[in-house]
């Protein structure tokens, strides 16, 4: 939990999401990850939340950030990229901290290759939002605000 009244959501991005805007724009869109971060911060502010927006290409760094969230953040939104479909380590990290977590994807993974239909994170995610492009992140922030302040 954050020390102040304002709650914090860590918004994590996994491998290759730093390439947004360049990478397969017909699937992932033309906006950059910086654009996403700006929109996420603005949306979080409307809910009186702070967004701690990060990206790493390294599974271990993401695990460390999740662990560091214990006692410092109130929930997670994550687009783990390809690690969604492979990483027991990320699943176990989220199980360890036991905080609300929403899984997001820009693309509708269920319209894509079979290997993208399996998610380890979905096993414990509060919810999964996919297929809405950048708006997937914003919908996840809205949903997290509701989870963290269910009375509103
Ligand atoms: C992003 C990736 O990098 C892929 O590996 C996932 C996800 C889908 C997305 O749609 O945001 O399979």
């Amino acid at each position: 939990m954050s020390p102040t009244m304002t709650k914090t959501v860590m918004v994590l991005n996994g491998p290759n999401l730093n390439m947004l805007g360049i990478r397969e724009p017909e699937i992932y869109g033309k906006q950059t990850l910086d654009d996403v971060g700006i929109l996420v911060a603005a949306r979080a502010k409307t809910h009186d939340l702070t967004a701690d927006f990060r990206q790493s290409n390294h599974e271990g760094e993401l695990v460390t950030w999740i662990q560091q969230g214990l006692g410092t953040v109130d929930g997670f939104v994550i687009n783990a990229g390809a690690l969604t479909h492979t990483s027991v380590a990320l699943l176990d990290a989220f199980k360890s901290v036991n905080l609300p977590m929403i899984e997001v994807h820009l693309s509708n993974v269920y319209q894509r290759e079979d290997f993208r239909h399996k998610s380890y994170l979905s096993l414990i995610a509060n919810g999964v939002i996919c297929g809405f492009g950048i708006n997937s992140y914003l919908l996840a922030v809205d949903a997290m605000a509701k989870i963290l302040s269910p009375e509103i």
Side-chain angles (χ1 to χ4, degrees):
M1 202 182 309
S2 31
T4 61
M5 290 296 286
T6 304
K7 292 182 177 173
T8 300
V9 182
M10 192 183 288
V11 182
L12 293 173
N13 294 277
N16 298 306
L17 288 161
N18 56 313
M19 298 298 284
L20 282 188
I22 297 168
R23 167 193 193 203
E24 301 177 273
E26 66 286 0
I27 295 175
Y28 296 110
K30 292 183 180 157
Q31 286 171 287
T32 67
L33 194 63
D34 283 347
D35 295 331
V36 180
I38 289 165
L39 292 170
V40 162
R43 182 63 71 97
K45 202 170 172 192
T46 67
H47 296 293
D48 200 23
L49 292 174
T50 298
D52 180 355
F53 194 86
R54 305 177 183 207
Q55 188 275 334
S56 178
N57 290 325
H58 303 281
E59 184 177 30
E61 186 162 39
L62 292 162
V63 168
T64 297
W65 286 343
I66 294 163
Q67 292 175 357
Q68 289 172 349
L70 190 61
T72 65
V73 306
D74 300 278
F76 295 91
V77 169
I78 182 164
N79 183 351
L83 292 173
T84 305
H85 318 299
T86 62
S87 180
V88 178
L90 288 183
L91 170 65
D92 285 349
F94 283 118
K95 281 183 169 178
S96 300
V97 299
N98 194 28
L99 288 168
M101 179 268 284
I102 297 174
E103 174 186 342
V104 302
H105 304 287
L106 293 150
S107 63
N108 183 345
V109 288
Y110 299 101
Q111 292 178 340
R112 302 182 64 195
E113 303 95 323
D114 285 353
F115 64 82
R116 295 186 204 275
H117 300 178
K118 165 80 185 175
S119 165
Y120 286 95
L121 302 183
S122 295
L123 285 168
I124 59 159
N126 291 64
V128 182
I129 299 170
C130 74
F132 297 99
I134 284 180
N135 205 30
S136 292
Y137 287 80
L138 306 183
L139 292 167
V141 170
D142 293 345
M144 183 57 72
K146 195 77 183 164
I147 290 168
L148 296 178
S149 297
E151 70 281 1
I152 296 174

